[in-house]
């Protein structure tokens, strides 16, 4: 900690020009700002701290934070109070105020728990009723599904077979692009190996009768000869790619034959299932679509009931609602927050006092303060009337500024809103502390 006498050091942080008691204009400007002609005693202070110490100050402040709020958790209680390192009278007052608030909460918590239990009991009864209806409807669906199980399985298998063939067609297309890319590179063809060529443009699928007109060495018949043949119509410098297109064409057209047959089987299986479902519905006197809609509606009712229960049985919400009009609660909250503010200010003040700071007094409004580039500081103006009531203003000190204390007060001074009195150098640090 450094406390420098401003007028006694030639290389001080703050350099003042002028001397003697000379603050009449500051007092006149104060009368205008404050709207009063009452006689005022004046004290002036300068406080600064180097940038190198600011991070330590911030770290100390962060290590000793206590919550400003009094939020209630899901159990209707306050969360544990943080165990800070710096404990003083202000901290003890905050703890005492918080404990008084917590103790007062207990009467509300008991009432809220009883109300929440009632809400939960009613909601669970309603949900149980909905669930019983769902179980009954599901039982009917299970009977229906049991009667059409074989037909459903056959239709599902037919669908899966269609999807499997479609997957093979996609895989064969990707295989073609790989073969195409490799052939382009191997044969030094002047085309991009990465282009996504549409292979169906470079081969022809012809009927069996037309296939007989071509050179039989240039065509390949499909696995069902009556379905025709395939040949590649690519020639010239790119004729080397013809076998790749032709091979793809044969495989792809054969898969198309399989796909057509699979879709026919799928269509037949679907028709068989639909007939079985109609017979089962008649036998059980059930409309499955209506049943499914009813189940969906009941599930939505259950979800709404659960959401409503969660909201209406929230203990913290019930307590907060009941506490709104309680003046004692408002008083306890105000006392706690006042104590927290006082503690936080004391922490900031302590953080500065433990570090490397400078503080001094001034009484000449014509003096010019100076501050180094690597420091932060304030000029503090304290006015005290005959009733020992204080009004405090502050102005930020800036390096290279040639304004006098009087000019700074007139142009940039701001009111410091705090009930703490400033009567000596250490107390003046509180103003600087409030800036953090």
């Amino acid at each position: 900690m450094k406390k420098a006498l401003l007028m006694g050091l030639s290389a001080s942080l703050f350099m003042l020009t002028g001397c003697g008691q000379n603050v009449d204009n500051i007092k006149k400007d104060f009368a205008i700002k404050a709207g009063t002609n009452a006689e005022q005693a004046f004290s002036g202070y300068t406080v600064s701290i180097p940038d190198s110490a600011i991070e330590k100050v911030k770290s100390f402040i962060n290590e000793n934070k206590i919550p400003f709020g009094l939020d209630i958790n899901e159990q209707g209680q306050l969360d544990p109070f943080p165990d800070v390192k710096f404990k003083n009278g202000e901290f003890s007052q905050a703890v005492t105020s918080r404990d008084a608030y917590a103790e007062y909460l207990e009467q509300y918590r008991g009432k809220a728990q009883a109300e929440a239990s009632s809400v939960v009991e009613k909601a669970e009864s309603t949900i149980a009723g909905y669930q019983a209806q769902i179980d009954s409807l599901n039982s009917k669906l299970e009977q229906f599904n049991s009667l059409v199980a074989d037909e459903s399985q056959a239709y599902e298998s037919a669908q899966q077979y269609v999807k499997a063939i479609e997957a093979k067609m996609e895989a064969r297309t990707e295989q073609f692009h790989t073969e195409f890319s490799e052939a382009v590179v191997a044969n030094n063809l002047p085309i991009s190996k990465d282009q996504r060529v549409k292979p169906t443009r470079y081969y022809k699928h012809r009927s069996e009768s037309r296939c007989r007109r071509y050179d039989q060495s240039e065509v390949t018949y499909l696995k069902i000869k009556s379905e025709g043949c395939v040949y590649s119509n690519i020639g010239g410098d790119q004729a080397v790619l013809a076998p790749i297109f032709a091979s793809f064409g044969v495989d792809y057209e054969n898969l198309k034959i399989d796909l057509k047959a699979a879709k026919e089987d799928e269509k037949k299986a679907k028709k068989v299932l639909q007939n079985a479902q109609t017979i089962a519905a008649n036998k059980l006197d059930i409309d499955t679509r209506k049943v499914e809609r009813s189940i969906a509606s009941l599930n939505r009712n259950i979800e709404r009931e659960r959401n409503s229960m969660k909201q209406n049985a929230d203990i913290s919400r019930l307590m907060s609602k009941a506490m709104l009009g309680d003046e004692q609660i408002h008083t306890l909250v105000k006392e706690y927050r006042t104590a927290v503010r006082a503690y936080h200010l004391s922490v900031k003040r302590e953080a500065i006092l433990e570090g490397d700071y400078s503080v001094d007094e001034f009484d000449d409004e014509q003096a010019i303060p100076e501050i180094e580039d690597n420091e932060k500081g304030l000029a503090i103006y304290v006015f005290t009337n005959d009733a020992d009531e204080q009004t405090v203003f502050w102005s930020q000190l800036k390096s290279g500024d040639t304004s006098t204390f009087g000019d700074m007060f007139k142009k940039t001074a701001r009111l410091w809103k705090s009930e703490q009195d400033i009567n000596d150098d250490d107390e003046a640090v509180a103003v600087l502390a409030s800036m953090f």
Side-chain angles (χ1 to χ4, degrees):
M1 179 178 71
K2 176 180 65 178
K3 299 179 68 175
L5 291 176
L6 197 62
M7 298 299 294
L9 299 177
S10 61
S12 171
L13 171 67
F14 301 103
M15 301 297 294
L16 305 183
T17 62
C19 61
Q21 181 67 35
N22 180 20
V23 291
D24 289 344
N25 288 324
I26 287 181
K27 289 184 177 181
K28 290 178 182 178
D29 289 332
F30 168 77
I32 295 173
K33 288 178 182 285
T36 178
N37 291 319
E39 185 66 26
Q40 303 285 330
F42 174 80
S43 298
Y45 302 87
T46 53
V47 185
S48 72
I49 184 172
D51 292 340
S52 59
I54 289 178
E55 286 305 316
K56 292 181 179 179
V57 169
K58 291 181 178 179
S59 177
F60 185 88
I61 292 171
N62 289 332
E63 290 173 355
N64 293 285
K65 281 186 176 179
I66 58 176
F68 185 73
L70 288 165
D71 297 328
I72 306 171
N73 59 29
E74 293 181 355
Q75 289 72 44
Q77 297 174 312
L78 299 176
D79 289 326
F81 207 48
D83 185 21
V84 297
K85 295 180 180 179
F86 178 64
K87 298 178 181 178
N88 57 5
E90 286 83 353
F91 177 79
S92 297
Q93 182 56 52
V95 172
T96 299
S97 298
R98 186 176 184 275
D99 289 345
Y101 179 84
E103 182 179 352
Y104 194 76
L105 285 182
E106 284 304 304
Q107 60 179 301
Y108 281 102
R109 194 163 77 95
K111 295 177 182 178
Q113 286 176 325
E115 185 176 349
S117 296
S118 176
V119 169
V120 170
E121 182 179 354
K122 182 178 178 181
E124 287 181 344
S125 175
T126 301
I127 290 172
Y130 290 142
Q131 189 60 53
Q133 296 179 59
I134 291 173
D135 292 342
S136 177
L137 292 172
N138 277 329
S139 178
K140 290 184 178 181
L141 281 182
E142 288 174 3
Q143 295 178 54
F144 175 85
N145 292 332
S146 177
L147 291 177
V148 299
D150 293 342
E151 292 82 0
S152 295
Q153 180 60 47
Y155 178 55
E156 183 179 348
S157 296
Q159 287 181 308
Q160 292 302 319
Y161 187 54
V162 168
K163 292 179 180 178
I165 295 173
E166 290 173 339
K168 286 182 180 180
M169 295 174 79
E170 291 180 5
R172 185 62 183 88
T173 300
E174 291 305 312
Q175 179 188 341
F176 161 79
H177 287 298
T178 299
E179 294 173 352
F180 173 83
S181 178
E182 292 173 349
V184 167
V185 174
N187 292 281
N188 298 316
L189 298 180
I191 55 178
S192 172
K193 69 181 180 65
D194 297 322
Q195 64 176 304
R196 301 290 288 184
V197 174
K198 190 174 182 180
T200 53
R201 294 176 56 189
Y202 298 99
Y203 75 82
K204 297 295 183 183
H205 173 217
R206 294 290 184 251
S207 65
E208 182 184 11
S209 60
R210 292 189 65 181
C211 288
R212 289 194 292 269
R213 303 175 189 176
Y214 296 104
D215 183 341
Q216 296 300 291
S217 65
E218 296 180 355
V219 299
T220 303
Y221 285 91
L222 302 181
K223 63 181 180 180
I224 301 176
K225 191 173 182 181
S226 61
E227 293 290 340
C229 67
V230 167
Y231 75 95
S232 176
N233 62 341
I234 191 169
D237 295 340
Q238 298 177 9
V240 68
L241 298 175
I244 298 174
F245 286 104
S247 174
F248 171 83
V250 171
D251 292 343
Y252 202 75
E253 294 300 326
N254 280 329
L255 287 170
K256 285 170 67 175
I257 294 172
D258 293 341
L259 182 62
K260 181 179 180 181
K263 286 188 173 181
E264 284 295 327
D265 291 341
E266 179 188 30
K267 184 177 180 180
K268 292 176 183 177
K270 183 177 181 181
K271 181 60 177 176
V272 171
L273 174 60
Q274 289 173 336
N275 290 339
Q277 288 173 332
T278 300
I279 294 170
N282 290 336
K283 184 178 292 186
L284 298 174
D285 191 21
I286 184 176
D287 184 332
T288 56
R289 286 177 296 183
K290 286 184 178 180
V291 170
E292 290 169 349
R293 287 197 296 270
S294 295
I295 291 174
S297 177
L298 288 166
N299 278 321
R300 288 194 294 271
N301 288 343
I302 288 176
E303 185 64 23
R304 283 194 291 268
E305 191 66 28
R306 283 176 176 162
N307 289 336
S308 177
M309 177 181 67
K310 182 179 180 180
Q311 181 179 12
N312 294 328
D314 186 316
I315 292 177
S316 61
R317 178 177 173 274
L318 290 170
M319 290 178 64
S320 297
K321 183 179 179 181
M323 289 157 48
L324 285 176
D326 190 328
E327 290 300 324
Q328 179 64 15
I329 283 288
H330 296 319
T331 299
L332 291 171
V333 170
K334 183 178 179 181
E335 289 175 353
Y336 170 74
R337 290 178 175 172
T338 298
V340 171
R341 278 192 290 267
Y343 173 69
H344 282 166
L345 182 59
S346 73
V347 168
K348 295 174 183 179
R349 180 175 175 275
E350 183 68 18
I352 295 174
L353 290 174
E354 288 188 358
D356 183 19
Y357 71 97
S358 296
V359 61
D360 206 343
E361 302 175 16
F362 70 88
D363 57 7
D364 185 0
E365 63 189 28
Q366 296 301 317
I368 300 175
E370 292 184 2
I371 186 169
E372 300 294 336
D373 291 337
N374 62 345
E375 293 181 314
K376 301 288 188 300
L378 301 177
I380 302 168
Y381 306 81
V382 182
F383 302 88
T384 307
N385 62 22
D386 291 340
D388 288 332
E389 298 170 336
Q390 283 191 349
T391 305
V392 181
F393 285 82
W394 62 268
S395 288
Q396 184 176 353
L397 298 175
K398 299 179 180 179
S399 63
D401 190 354
T402 59
S403 299
T404 65
F405 282 109
D407 290 338
M408 290 170 57
F409 179 78
K410 186 173 184 179
K411 297 177 181 178
T412 64
R414 299 181 184 181
L415 181 66
W416 186 53
K417 298 179 180 180
S418 175
E419 297 179 359
Q420 178 174 342
D421 288 339
I422 306 298
N423 296 309
D424 58 31
D425 292 0
D426 285 350
E427 289 176 353
V429 172
V431 185
L432 180 63
S434 68
M435 301 298 101
F436 285 89

